[in-house]
PDB file of all heavy atoms in Angstrom:
ATOM      1  N   GLY A   1       0.695  -3.982  10.409  1.00 63.00           N
ATOM      2  CA  GLY A   1       2.029  -4.514  10.667  1.00 63.00           C
ATOM      3  C   GLY A   1       2.524  -4.148  12.061  1.00 63.00           C
ATOM      4  O   GLY A   1       2.488  -2.990  12.462  1.00 63.00           O
ATOM      5  N   ARG A   2       2.986  -5.149  12.792  1.00 70.00           N
ATOM      6  CA  ARG A   2       3.429  -4.931  14.170  1.00 70.00           C
ATOM      7  C   ARG A   2       4.944  -4.850  14.284  1.00 70.00           C
ATOM      8  O   ARG A   2       5.470  -4.256  15.205  1.00 70.00           O
ATOM      9  CB  ARG A   2       2.899  -6.070  15.053  1.00 70.00           C
ATOM     10  CG  ARG A   2       1.377  -6.081  15.134  1.00 70.00           C
ATOM     11  CD  ARG A   2       0.867  -7.425  15.586  1.00 70.00           C
ATOM     12  NE  ARG A   2       1.176  -8.488  14.650  1.00 70.00           N
ATOM     13  CZ  ARG A   2       0.496  -8.705  13.513  1.00 70.00           C
ATOM     14  NH1 ARG A   2      -0.524  -7.918  13.203  1.00 70.00           N
ATOM     15  NH2 ARG A   2       0.810  -9.690  12.717  1.00 70.00           N
ATOM     16  N   SER A   3       5.667  -5.469  13.370  1.00 81.00           N
ATOM     17  CA  SER A   3       7.118  -5.426  13.362  1.00 81.00           C
ATOM     18  C   SER A   3       7.573  -5.665  11.932  1.00 81.00           C
ATOM     19  O   SER A   3       6.801  -6.184  11.110  1.00 81.00           O
ATOM     20  CB  SER A   3       7.701  -6.493  14.293  1.00 81.00           C
ATOM     21  OG  SER A   3       7.492  -7.788  13.746  1.00 81.00           O
ATOM     22  N   PRO A   4       8.807  -5.309  11.597  1.00 85.00           N
ATOM     23  CA  PRO A   4       9.281  -5.574  10.226  1.00 85.00           C
ATOM     24  C   PRO A   4       9.172  -7.035   9.837  1.00 85.00           C
ATOM     25  O   PRO A   4       8.802  -7.351   8.705  1.00 85.00           O
ATOM     26  CB  PRO A   4      10.745  -5.105  10.282  1.00 85.00           C
ATOM     27  CG  PRO A   4      10.779  -4.075  11.360  1.00 85.00           C
ATOM     28  CD  PRO A   4       9.796  -4.555  12.391  1.00 85.00           C
ATOM     29  N   GLU A   5       9.490  -7.953  10.772  1.00 86.00           N
ATOM     30  CA  GLU A   5       9.445  -9.374  10.452  1.00 86.00           C
ATOM     31  C   GLU A   5       8.016  -9.848  10.176  1.00 86.00           C
ATOM     32  O   GLU A   5       7.766 -10.588   9.215  1.00 86.00           O
ATOM     33  CB  GLU A   5      10.043 -10.191  11.602  1.00 86.00           C
ATOM     34  CG  GLU A   5      11.543 -10.016  11.794  1.00 86.00           C
ATOM     35  CD  GLU A   5      11.906  -8.698  12.461  1.00 86.00           C
ATOM     36  OE1 GLU A   5      10.978  -8.040  13.021  1.00 86.00           O
ATOM     37  OE2 GLU A   5      13.078  -8.305  12.428  1.00 86.00           O
ATOM     38  N   GLU A   6       7.065  -9.417  11.013  1.00 86.00           N
ATOM     39  CA  GLU A   6       5.680  -9.846  10.829  1.00 86.00           C
ATOM     40  C   GLU A   6       5.077  -9.247   9.570  1.00 86.00           C
ATOM     41  O   GLU A   6       4.328  -9.912   8.850  1.00 86.00           O
ATOM     42  CB  GLU A   6       4.855  -9.471  12.059  1.00 86.00           C
ATOM     43  CG  GLU A   6       5.234 -10.271  13.298  1.00 86.00           C
ATOM     44  CD  GLU A   6       4.455  -9.827  14.522  1.00 86.00           C
ATOM     45  OE1 GLU A   6       3.830  -8.760  14.469  1.00 86.00           O
ATOM     46  OE2 GLU A   6       4.473 -10.556  15.529  1.00 86.00           O
ATOM     47  N   LEU A   7       5.396  -7.981   9.294  1.00 88.00           N
ATOM     48  CA  LEU A   7       4.884  -7.354   8.078  1.00 88.00           C
ATOM     49  C   LEU A   7       5.467  -8.044   6.848  1.00 88.00           C
ATOM     50  O   LEU A   7       4.744  -8.312   5.877  1.00 88.00           O
ATOM     51  CB  LEU A   7       5.234  -5.867   8.059  1.00 88.00           C
ATOM     52  CG  LEU A   7       4.836  -5.110   6.784  1.00 88.00           C
ATOM     53  CD1 LEU A   7       3.334  -5.217   6.537  1.00 88.00           C
ATOM     54  CD2 LEU A   7       5.245  -3.647   6.875  1.00 88.00           C
ATOM     55  N   ALA A   8       6.754  -8.363   6.869  1.00 88.00           N
ATOM     56  CA  ALA A   8       7.382  -9.042   5.738  1.00 88.00           C
ATOM     57  C   ALA A   8       6.731 -10.399   5.497  1.00 88.00           C
ATOM     58  O   ALA A   8       6.473 -10.789   4.349  1.00 88.00           O
ATOM     59  CB  ALA A   8       8.881  -9.198   5.983  1.00 88.00           C
ATOM     60  N   THR A   9       6.447 -11.127   6.563  1.00 88.00           N
ATOM     61  CA  THR A   9       5.799 -12.440   6.434  1.00 88.00           C
ATOM     62  C   THR A   9       4.402 -12.299   5.850  1.00 88.00           C
ATOM     63  O   THR A   9       4.010 -13.053   4.947  1.00 88.00           O
ATOM     64  CB  THR A   9       5.723 -13.127   7.806  1.00 88.00           C
ATOM     65  OG1 THR A   9       7.050 -13.300   8.323  1.00 88.00           O
ATOM     66  CG2 THR A   9       5.053 -14.486   7.691  1.00 88.00           C
ATOM     67  N   ASP A  10       3.630 -11.320   6.339  1.00 88.00           N
ATOM     68  CA  ASP A  10       2.270 -11.113   5.827  1.00 88.00           C
ATOM     69  C   ASP A  10       2.291 -10.750   4.347  1.00 88.00           C
ATOM     70  O   ASP A  10       1.479 -11.260   3.555  1.00 88.00           O
ATOM     71  CB  ASP A  10       1.573 -10.012   6.625  1.00 88.00           C
ATOM     72  CG  ASP A  10       1.243 -10.440   8.043  1.00 88.00           C
ATOM     73  OD1 ASP A  10       1.249 -11.655   8.306  1.00 88.00           O
ATOM     74  OD2 ASP A  10       0.989  -9.559   8.888  1.00 88.00           O
ATOM     75  N   LEU A  11       3.202  -9.858   3.950  1.00 91.00           N
ATOM     76  CA  LEU A  11       3.258  -9.425   2.554  1.00 91.00           C
ATOM     77  C   LEU A  11       3.738 -10.547   1.639  1.00 91.00           C
ATOM     78  O   LEU A  11       3.234 -10.701   0.525  1.00 91.00           O
ATOM     79  CB  LEU A  11       4.185  -8.206   2.418  1.00 91.00           C
ATOM     80  CG  LEU A  11       3.696  -6.911   3.053  1.00 91.00           C
ATOM     81  CD1 LEU A  11       4.699  -5.787   2.827  1.00 91.00           C
ATOM     82  CD2 LEU A  11       2.332  -6.499   2.497  1.00 91.00           C
ATOM     83  N   THR A  12       4.705 -11.339   2.098  1.00 89.00           N
ATOM     84  CA  THR A  12       5.193 -12.453   1.283  1.00 89.00           C
ATOM     85  C   THR A  12       4.078 -13.463   1.043  1.00 89.00           C
ATOM     86  O   THR A  12       3.875 -13.939  -0.085  1.00 89.00           O
ATOM     87  CB  THR A  12       6.388 -13.132   1.973  1.00 89.00           C
ATOM     88  OG1 THR A  12       7.435 -12.177   2.164  1.00 89.00           O
ATOM     89  CG2 THR A  12       6.926 -14.282   1.122  1.00 89.00           C
ATOM     90  N   ASP A  13       3.338 -13.799   2.090  1.00 87.00           N
ATOM     91  CA  ASP A  13       2.218 -14.730   1.941  1.00 87.00           C
ATOM     92  C   ASP A  13       1.156 -14.149   1.005  1.00 87.00           C
ATOM     93  O   ASP A  13       0.574 -14.865   0.178  1.00 87.00           O
ATOM     94  CB  ASP A  13       1.590 -15.033   3.305  1.00 87.00           C
ATOM     95  CG  ASP A  13       2.507 -15.863   4.190  1.00 87.00           C
ATOM     96  OD1 ASP A  13       3.457 -16.453   3.654  1.00 87.00           O
ATOM     97  OD2 ASP A  13       2.283 -15.896   5.413  1.00 87.00           O
ATOM     98  N   PHE A  14       0.891 -12.855   1.123  1.00 89.00           N
ATOM     99  CA  PHE A  14      -0.120 -12.196   0.291  1.00 89.00           C
ATOM    100  C   PHE A  14       0.280 -12.251  -1.186  1.00 89.00           C
ATOM    101  O   PHE A  14      -0.524 -12.617  -2.048  1.00 89.00           O
ATOM    102  CB  PHE A  14      -0.285 -10.743   0.742  1.00 89.00           C
ATOM    103  CG  PHE A  14      -1.142  -9.907  -0.161  1.00 89.00           C
ATOM    104  CD1 PHE A  14      -2.524  -9.971  -0.092  1.00 89.00           C
ATOM    105  CD2 PHE A  14      -0.563  -9.063  -1.093  1.00 89.00           C
ATOM    106  CE1 PHE A  14      -3.316  -9.210  -0.937  1.00 89.00           C
ATOM    107  CE2 PHE A  14      -1.349  -8.293  -1.943  1.00 89.00           C
ATOM    108  CZ  PHE A  14      -2.730  -8.366  -1.859  1.00 89.00           C
ATOM    109  N   LEU A  15       1.532 -11.882  -1.495  1.00 90.00           N
ATOM    110  CA  LEU A  15       1.986 -11.874  -2.887  1.00 90.00           C
ATOM    111  C   LEU A  15       2.003 -13.285  -3.468  1.00 90.00           C
ATOM    112  O   LEU A  15       1.633 -13.496  -4.621  1.00 90.00           O
ATOM    113  CB  LEU A  15       3.384 -11.248  -2.966  1.00 90.00           C
ATOM    114  CG  LEU A  15       3.454  -9.756  -2.643  1.00 90.00           C
ATOM    115  CD1 LEU A  15       4.902  -9.306  -2.502  1.00 90.00           C
ATOM    116  CD2 LEU A  15       2.739  -8.930  -3.707  1.00 90.00           C
ATOM    117  N   ASP A  16       2.411 -14.262  -2.673  1.00 85.00           N
ATOM    118  CA  ASP A  16       2.447 -15.643  -3.138  1.00 85.00           C
ATOM    119  C   ASP A  16       1.040 -16.165  -3.411  1.00 85.00           C
ATOM    120  O   ASP A  16       0.835 -16.989  -4.306  1.00 85.00           O
ATOM    121  CB  ASP A  16       3.132 -16.511  -2.078  1.00 85.00           C
ATOM    122  CG  ASP A  16       3.310 -17.945  -2.540  1.00 85.00           C
ATOM    123  OD1 ASP A  16       3.880 -18.157  -3.626  1.00 85.00           O
ATOM    124  OD2 ASP A  16       2.864 -18.858  -1.820  1.00 85.00           O
ATOM    125  N   ARG A  17       0.062 -15.649  -2.677  1.00 83.00           N
ATOM    126  CA  ARG A  17      -1.319 -16.096  -2.826  1.00 83.00           C
ATOM    127  C   ARG A  17      -2.044 -15.392  -3.966  1.00 83.00           C
ATOM    128  O   ARG A  17      -2.860 -16.003  -4.658  1.00 83.00           O
ATOM    129  CB  ARG A  17      -2.076 -15.858  -1.514  1.00 83.00           C
ATOM    130  CG  ARG A  17      -3.507 -16.356  -1.509  1.00 83.00           C
ATOM    131  CD  ARG A  17      -4.126 -16.210  -0.126  1.00 83.00           C
ATOM    132  NE  ARG A  17      -4.249 -14.820   0.286  1.00 83.00           N
ATOM    133  CZ  ARG A  17      -3.516 -14.240   1.229  1.00 83.00           C
ATOM    134  NH1 ARG A  17      -2.602 -14.929   1.874  1.00 83.00           N
ATOM    135  NH2 ARG A  17      -3.692 -12.970   1.550  1.00 83.00           N
ATOM    136  N   GLU A  18      -1.757 -14.124  -4.186  1.00 83.00           N
ATOM    137  CA  GLU A  18      -2.559 -13.312  -5.098  1.00 83.00           C
ATOM    138  C   GLU A  18      -2.014 -13.219  -6.521  1.00 83.00           C
ATOM    139  O   GLU A  18      -2.770 -12.967  -7.454  1.00 83.00           O
ATOM    140  CB  GLU A  18      -2.706 -11.894  -4.536  1.00 83.00           C
ATOM    141  CG  GLU A  18      -3.482 -11.823  -3.229  1.00 83.00           C
ATOM    142  CD  GLU A  18      -4.915 -12.263  -3.373  1.00 83.00           C
ATOM    143  OE1 GLU A  18      -5.475 -12.118  -4.483  1.00 83.00           O
ATOM    144  OE2 GLU A  18      -5.490 -12.772  -2.397  1.00 83.00           O
ATOM    145  N   LEU A  19      -0.708 -13.383  -6.704  1.00 83.00           N
ATOM    146  CA  LEU A  19      -0.131 -13.257  -8.032  1.00 83.00           C
ATOM    147  C   LEU A  19       0.293 -14.626  -8.546  1.00 83.00           C
ATOM    148  O   LEU A  19       0.470 -15.557  -7.762  1.00 83.00           O
ATOM    149  CB  LEU A  19       1.059 -12.290  -8.005  1.00 83.00           C
ATOM    150  CG  LEU A  19       0.675 -10.826  -7.797  1.00 83.00           C
ATOM    151  CD1 LEU A  19       1.909  -9.956  -7.639  1.00 83.00           C
ATOM    152  CD2 LEU A  19      -0.202 -10.305  -8.932  1.00 83.00           C
ATOM    153  N   PRO A  20       0.461 -14.778  -9.865  1.00 73.00           N
ATOM    154  CA  PRO A  20       0.815 -16.083 -10.437  1.00 73.00           C
ATOM    155  C   PRO A  20       2.080 -16.651  -9.811  1.00 73.00           C
ATOM    156  O   PRO A  20       2.883 -15.910  -9.248  1.00 73.00           O
ATOM    157  CB  PRO A  20       1.025 -15.759 -11.927  1.00 73.00           C
ATOM    158  CG  PRO A  20       0.173 -14.572 -12.165  1.00 73.00           C
ATOM    159  CD  PRO A  20       0.242 -13.769 -10.905  1.00 73.00           C
ATOM    160  N   PRO A  21       2.257 -17.960  -9.893  1.00 73.00           N
ATOM    161  CA  PRO A  21       3.362 -18.613  -9.185  1.00 73.00           C
ATOM    162  C   PRO A  21       4.712 -17.976  -9.469  1.00 73.00           C
ATOM    163  O   PRO A  21       5.218 -18.012 -10.583  1.00 73.00           O
ATOM    164  CB  PRO A  21       3.312 -20.049  -9.729  1.00 73.00           C
ATOM    165  CG  PRO A  21       1.911 -20.244 -10.163  1.00 73.00           C
ATOM    166  CD  PRO A  21       1.433 -18.913 -10.650  1.00 73.00           C
ATOM    167  N   SER A  22       5.306 -17.374  -8.479  1.00 81.00           N
ATOM    168  CA  SER A  22       6.630 -16.774  -8.531  1.00 81.00           C
ATOM    169  C   SER A  22       7.260 -16.978  -7.166  1.00 81.00           C
ATOM    170  O   SER A  22       6.606 -17.389  -6.218  1.00 81.00           O
ATOM    171  CB  SER A  22       6.553 -15.271  -8.864  1.00 81.00           C
ATOM    172  OG  SER A  22       6.053 -15.065 -10.172  1.00 81.00           O
ATOM    173  N   GLU A  23       8.548 -16.686  -7.061  1.00 87.00           N
ATOM    174  CA  GLU A  23       9.223 -16.763  -5.782  1.00 87.00           C
ATOM    175  C   GLU A  23       9.382 -15.353  -5.234  1.00 87.00           C
ATOM    176  O   GLU A  23       9.808 -14.439  -5.953  1.00 87.00           O
ATOM    177  CB  GLU A  23      10.579 -17.453  -5.932  1.00 87.00           C
ATOM    178  CG  GLU A  23      10.449 -18.925  -6.314  1.00 87.00           C
ATOM    179  CD  GLU A  23      11.800 -19.581  -6.525  1.00 87.00           C
ATOM    180  OE1 GLU A  23      12.369 -19.394  -7.614  1.00 87.00           O
ATOM    181  OE2 GLU A  23      12.284 -20.265  -5.612  1.00 87.00           O
ATOM    182  N   TRP A  24       9.047 -15.164  -3.952  1.00 91.00           N
ATOM    183  CA  TRP A  24       8.973 -13.833  -3.361  1.00 91.00           C
ATOM    184  C   TRP A  24       9.846 -13.739  -2.111  1.00 91.00           C
ATOM    185  O   TRP A  24      10.048 -14.728  -1.406  1.00 91.00           O
ATOM    186  CB  TRP A  24       7.528 -13.501  -2.966  1.00 91.00           C
ATOM    187  CG  TRP A  24       6.578 -13.506  -4.103  1.00 91.00           C
ATOM    188  CD1 TRP A  24       5.808 -14.554  -4.535  1.00 91.00           C
ATOM    189  CD2 TRP A  24       6.286 -12.421  -4.992  1.00 91.00           C
ATOM    190  NE1 TRP A  24       5.052 -14.186  -5.621  1.00 91.00           N
ATOM    191  CE2 TRP A  24       5.327 -12.876  -5.924  1.00 91.00           C
ATOM    192  CE3 TRP A  24       6.735 -11.100  -5.079  1.00 91.00           C
ATOM    193  CZ2 TRP A  24       4.814 -12.081  -6.933  1.00 91.00           C
ATOM    194  CZ3 TRP A  24       6.217 -10.296  -6.084  1.00 91.00           C
ATOM    195  CH2 TRP A  24       5.270 -10.785  -6.997  1.00 91.00           C
ATOM    196  N   ALA A  25      10.321 -12.525  -1.852  1.00 91.00           N
ATOM    197  CA  ALA A  25      11.012 -12.238  -0.592  1.00 91.00           C
ATOM    198  C   ALA A  25      10.781 -10.770  -0.273  1.00 91.00           C
ATOM    199  O   ALA A  25      10.777  -9.908  -1.154  1.00 91.00           O
ATOM    200  CB  ALA A  25      12.505 -12.522  -0.695  1.00 91.00           C
ATOM    201  N   VAL A  26      10.554 -10.471   0.991  1.00 92.00           N
ATOM    202  CA  VAL A  26      10.431  -9.099   1.484  1.00 92.00           C
ATOM    203  C   VAL A  26      11.481  -8.928   2.574  1.00 92.00           C
ATOM    204  O   VAL A  26      11.596  -9.773   3.468  1.00 92.00           O
ATOM    205  CB  VAL A  26       9.022  -8.812   2.034  1.00 92.00           C
ATOM    206  CG1 VAL A  26       8.945  -7.396   2.597  1.00 92.00           C
ATOM    207  CG2 VAL A  26       7.974  -8.996   0.946  1.00 92.00           C
ATOM    208  N   GLY A  27      12.265  -7.859   2.477  1.00 91.00           N
ATOM    209  CA  GLY A  27      13.329  -7.674   3.446  1.00 91.00           C
ATOM    210  C   GLY A  27      13.885  -6.275   3.433  1.00 91.00           C
ATOM    211  O   GLY A  27      13.193  -5.318   3.068  1.00 91.00           O
ATOM    212  N   GLU A  28      15.151  -6.157   3.795  1.00 90.00           N
ATOM    213  CA  GLU A  28      15.808  -4.864   3.928  1.00 90.00           C
ATOM    214  C   GLU A  28      16.943  -4.750   2.918  1.00 90.00           C
ATOM    215  O   GLU A  28      17.730  -5.682   2.741  1.00 90.00           O
ATOM    216  CB  GLU A  28      16.371  -4.690   5.343  1.00 90.00           C
ATOM    217  CG  GLU A  28      15.300  -4.692   6.428  1.00 90.00           C
ATOM    218  CD  GLU A  28      15.896  -4.650   7.819  1.00 90.00           C
ATOM    219  OE1 GLU A  28      17.062  -5.080   7.988  1.00 90.00           O
ATOM    220  OE2 GLU A  28      15.195  -4.189   8.743  1.00 90.00           O
ATOM    221  N   LEU A  29      17.026  -3.600   2.277  1.00 89.00           N
ATOM    222  CA  LEU A  29      18.138  -3.291   1.384  1.00 89.00           C
ATOM    223  C   LEU A  29      19.107  -2.415   2.154  1.00 89.00           C
ATOM    224  O   LEU A  29      18.771  -1.295   2.547  1.00 89.00           O
ATOM    225  CB  LEU A  29      17.642  -2.572   0.128  1.00 89.00           C
ATOM    226  CG  LEU A  29      18.714  -2.202  -0.902  1.00 89.00           C
ATOM    227  CD1 LEU A  29      19.371  -3.462  -1.455  1.00 89.00           C
ATOM    228  CD2 LEU A  29      18.102  -1.381  -2.031  1.00 89.00           C
ATOM    229  N   THR A  30      20.290  -2.932   2.421  1.00 86.00           N
ATOM    230  CA  THR A  30      21.290  -2.219   3.197  1.00 86.00           C
ATOM    231  C   THR A  30      22.548  -2.022   2.368  1.00 86.00           C
ATOM    232  O   THR A  30      22.635  -2.479   1.214  1.00 86.00           O
ATOM    233  CB  THR A  30      21.643  -2.994   4.482  1.00 86.00           C
ATOM    234  OG1 THR A  30      22.316  -4.212   4.112  1.00 86.00           O
ATOM    235  CG2 THR A  30      20.379  -3.366   5.258  1.00 86.00           C
ATOM    236  N   ALA A  31      23.529  -1.375   2.968  1.00 82.00           N
ATOM    237  CA  ALA A  31      24.800  -1.181   2.277  1.00 82.00           C
ATOM    238  C   ALA A  31      25.476  -2.509   1.972  1.00 82.00           C
ATOM    239  O   ALA A  31      26.248  -2.628   1.015  1.00 82.00           O
ATOM    240  CB  ALA A  31      25.717  -0.303   3.125  1.00 82.00           C
ATOM    241  N   GLY A  32      25.178  -3.523   2.783  1.00 83.00           N
ATOM    242  CA  GLY A  32      25.790  -4.826   2.573  1.00 83.00           C
ATOM    243  C   GLY A  32      25.048  -5.722   1.609  1.00 83.00           C
ATOM    244  O   GLY A  32      25.515  -6.815   1.294  1.00 83.00           O
ATOM    245  N   GLY A  33      23.878  -5.330   1.146  1.00 88.00           N
ATOM    246  CA  GLY A  33      23.103  -6.135   0.221  1.00 88.00           C
ATOM    247  C   GLY A  33      21.651  -6.245   0.645  1.00 88.00           C
ATOM    248  O   GLY A  33      21.143  -5.417   1.403  1.00 88.00           O
ATOM    249  N   PHE A  34      20.967  -7.277   0.159  1.00 90.00           N
ATOM    250  CA  PHE A  34      19.561  -7.496   0.480  1.00 90.00           C
ATOM    251  C   PHE A  34      19.463  -8.602   1.525  1.00 90.00           C
ATOM    252  O   PHE A  34      20.003  -9.694   1.354  1.00 90.00           O
ATOM    253  CB  PHE A  34      18.775  -7.894  -0.773  1.00 90.00           C
ATOM    254  CG  PHE A  34      17.342  -8.263  -0.510  1.00 90.00           C
ATOM    255  CD1 PHE A  34      16.386  -7.287  -0.279  1.00 90.00           C
ATOM    256  CD2 PHE A  34      16.949  -9.593  -0.489  1.00 90.00           C
ATOM    257  CE1 PHE A  34      15.060  -7.625  -0.034  1.00 90.00           C
ATOM    258  CE2 PHE A  34      15.633  -9.946  -0.252  1.00 90.00           C
ATOM    259  CZ  PHE A  34      14.692  -8.953  -0.021  1.00 90.00           C
ATOM    260  N   ARG A  35      18.759  -8.329   2.627  1.00 89.00           N
ATOM    261  CA  ARG A  35      18.560  -9.307   3.696  1.00 89.00           C
ATOM    262  C   ARG A  35      17.074  -9.628   3.788  1.00 89.00           C
ATOM    263  O   ARG A  35      16.268  -8.777   4.150  1.00 89.00           O
ATOM    264  CB  ARG A  35      19.071  -8.755   5.026  1.00 89.00           C
ATOM    265  CG  ARG A  35      18.960  -9.763   6.181  1.00 89.00           C
ATOM    266  CD  ARG A  35      19.607  -9.213   7.429  1.00 89.00           C
ATOM    267  NE  ARG A  35      18.804  -8.156   8.034  1.00 89.00           N
ATOM    268  CZ  ARG A  35      17.864  -8.365   8.958  1.00 89.00           C
ATOM    269  NH1 ARG A  35      17.606  -9.602   9.357  1.00 89.00           N
ATOM    270  NH2 ARG A  35      17.194  -7.354   9.484  1.00 89.00           N
ATOM    271  N   ALA A  36      16.710 -10.857   3.437  1.00 89.00           N
ATOM    272  CA  ALA A  36      15.310 -11.264   3.440  1.00 89.00           C
ATOM    273  C   ALA A  36      14.814 -11.474   4.862  1.00 89.00           C
ATOM    274  O   ALA A  36      15.470 -12.127   5.668  1.00 89.00           O
ATOM    275  CB  ALA A  36      15.135 -12.540   2.630  1.00 89.00           C
ATOM    276  N   LEU A  37      13.641 -10.900   5.178  1.00 88.00           N
ATOM    277  CA  LEU A  37      12.978 -11.135   6.458  1.00 88.00           C
ATOM    278  C   LEU A  37      11.946 -12.253   6.343  1.00 88.00           C
ATOM    279  O   LEU A  37      11.609 -12.899   7.335  1.00 88.00           O
ATOM    280  CB  LEU A  37      12.299  -9.851   6.936  1.00 88.00           C
ATOM    281  CG  LEU A  37      13.223  -8.657   7.193  1.00 88.00           C
ATOM    282  CD1 LEU A  37      12.406  -7.421   7.567  1.00 88.00           C
ATOM    283  CD2 LEU A  37      14.234  -8.975   8.281  1.00 88.00           C
ATOM    284  N   ALA A  38      11.425 -12.455   5.132  1.00 88.00           N
ATOM    285  CA  ALA A  38      10.501 -13.553   4.846  1.00 88.00           C
ATOM    286  C   ALA A  38      10.662 -13.903   3.375  1.00 88.00           C
ATOM    287  O   ALA A  38      10.879 -13.020   2.543  1.00 88.00           O
ATOM    288  CB  ALA A  38       9.061 -13.156   5.154  1.00 88.00           C
ATOM    289  N   SER A  39      10.573 -15.189   3.045  1.00 88.00           N
ATOM    290  CA  SER A  39      10.877 -15.596   1.678  1.00 88.00           C
ATOM    291  C   SER A  39      10.175 -16.903   1.327  1.00 88.00           C
ATOM    292  O   SER A  39       9.955 -17.762   2.191  1.00 88.00           O
ATOM    293  CB  SER A  39      12.388 -15.761   1.506  1.00 88.00           C
ATOM    294  OG  SER A  39      12.719 -16.316   0.241  1.00 88.00           O
ATOM    295  N   THR A  40       9.810 -17.040   0.033  1.00 85.00           N
ATOM    296  CA  THR A  40       9.318 -18.309  -0.497  1.00 85.00           C
ATOM    297  C   THR A  40      10.328 -18.909  -1.475  1.00 85.00           C
ATOM    298  O   THR A  40      10.026 -19.901  -2.138  1.00 85.00           O
ATOM    299  CB  THR A  40       7.970 -18.123  -1.220  1.00 85.00           C
ATOM    300  OG1 THR A  40       8.158 -17.272  -2.372  1.00 85.00           O
ATOM    301  CG2 THR A  40       6.920 -17.519  -0.312  1.00 85.00           C
ATOM    302  N   PHE A  41      11.516 -18.316  -1.583  1.00 85.00           N
ATOM    303  CA  PHE A  41      12.544 -18.847  -2.464  1.00 85.00           C
ATOM    304  C   PHE A  41      12.970 -20.228  -1.960  1.00 85.00           C
ATOM    305  O   PHE A  41      13.224 -20.419  -0.767  1.00 85.00           O
ATOM    306  CB  PHE A  41      13.757 -17.916  -2.503  1.00 85.00           C
ATOM    307  CG  PHE A  41      13.610 -16.764  -3.447  1.00 85.00           C
ATOM    308  CD1 PHE A  41      12.863 -15.656  -3.094  1.00 85.00           C
ATOM    309  CD2 PHE A  41      14.220 -16.779  -4.699  1.00 85.00           C
ATOM    310  CE1 PHE A  41      12.730 -14.577  -3.954  1.00 85.00           C
ATOM    311  CE2 PHE A  41      14.088 -15.706  -5.565  1.00 85.00           C
ATOM    312  CZ  PHE A  41      13.333 -14.606  -5.200  1.00 85.00           C
ATOM    313  N   ARG A  42      13.057 -21.185  -2.878  1.00 77.00           N
ATOM    314  CA  ARG A  42      13.500 -22.521  -2.490  1.00 77.00           C
ATOM    315  C   ARG A  42      14.981 -22.508  -2.110  1.00 77.00           C
ATOM    316  O   ARG A  42      15.409 -23.272  -1.257  1.00 77.00           O
ATOM    317  CB  ARG A  42      13.256 -23.507  -3.637  1.00 77.00           C
ATOM    318  CG  ARG A  42      11.776 -23.805  -3.874  1.00 77.00           C
ATOM    319  CD  ARG A  42      11.588 -24.884  -4.902  1.00 77.00           C
ATOM    320  NE  ARG A  42      11.900 -24.424  -6.240  1.00 77.00           N
ATOM    321  CZ  ARG A  42      11.026 -23.823  -7.033  1.00 77.00           C
ATOM    322  NH1 ARG A  42       9.802 -23.608  -6.609  1.00 77.00           N
ATOM    323  NH2 ARG A  42      11.374 -23.431  -8.244  1.00 77.00           N
ATOM    324  N   GLU A  43      15.762 -21.655  -2.759  1.00 77.00           N
ATOM    325  CA  GLU A  43      17.164 -21.489  -2.424  1.00 77.00           C
ATOM    326  C   GLU A  43      17.453 -19.991  -2.353  1.00 77.00           C
ATOM    327  O   GLU A  43      16.904 -19.207  -3.130  1.00 77.00           O
ATOM    328  CB  GLU A  43      18.071 -22.136  -3.482  1.00 77.00           C
ATOM    329  CG  GLU A  43      17.892 -23.631  -3.610  1.00 77.00           C
ATOM    330  CD  GLU A  43      18.783 -24.223  -4.693  1.00 77.00           C
ATOM    331  OE1 GLU A  43      19.491 -23.438  -5.354  1.00 77.00           O
ATOM    332  OE2 GLU A  43      18.754 -25.448  -4.879  1.00 77.00           O
ATOM    333  N   THR A  44      18.321 -19.591  -1.430  1.00 77.00           N
ATOM    334  CA  THR A  44      18.656 -18.179  -1.295  1.00 77.00           C
ATOM    335  C   THR A  44      19.294 -17.685  -2.581  1.00 77.00           C
ATOM    336  O   THR A  44      20.322 -18.220  -3.019  1.00 77.00           O
ATOM    337  CB  THR A  44      19.628 -17.965  -0.125  1.00 77.00           C
ATOM    338  OG1 THR A  44      19.033 -18.474   1.064  1.00 77.00           O
ATOM    339  CG2 THR A  44      19.942 -16.489   0.045  1.00 77.00           C
ATOM    340  N   PRO A  45      18.692 -16.679  -3.240  1.00 76.00           N
ATOM    341  CA  PRO A  45      19.231 -16.227  -4.529  1.00 76.00           C
ATOM    342  C   PRO A  45      20.513 -15.417  -4.353  1.00 76.00           C
ATOM    343  O   PRO A  45      20.657 -14.664  -3.389  1.00 76.00           O
ATOM    344  CB  PRO A  45      18.105 -15.342  -5.085  1.00 76.00           C
ATOM    345  CG  PRO A  45      17.406 -14.826  -3.865  1.00 76.00           C
ATOM    346  CD  PRO A  45      17.491 -15.932  -2.842  1.00 76.00           C
TER     347      PRO A  45
END
C-alpha cells in the first residue's frame, strides 16, 4: 500500500473478487462518521 486511498481501492477490489457477491467499502472511521475511500456500494449507505 502506497497511500490510504490506493490501499483502500486494492482491498475493496480484492474483497469484491474473493468473497461472494456483497457490497464493500474501505475507509476511515472518524468522530464524524464513516468516510469511504473506495466503495462498490451502488448507493452511499
Side-chain angles (χ1 to χ4, degrees):
R2 296 161 296 282
S3 70
E5 292 76 14
E6 291 177 346
L7 176 58
T9 300
D10 290 343
L11 292 181
T12 301
D13 291 343
F14 171 80
L15 292 170
D16 185 53
R17 183 174 65 251
E18 295 296 332
L19 289 174
S22 294
E23 293 177 280
W24 300 93
V26 177
E28 297 175 335
L29 181 63
T30 67
F34 175 77
R35 183 174 73 90
L37 298 176
S39 173
T40 64
F41 278 79
R42 290 186 288 273
E43 298 179 358
T44 303

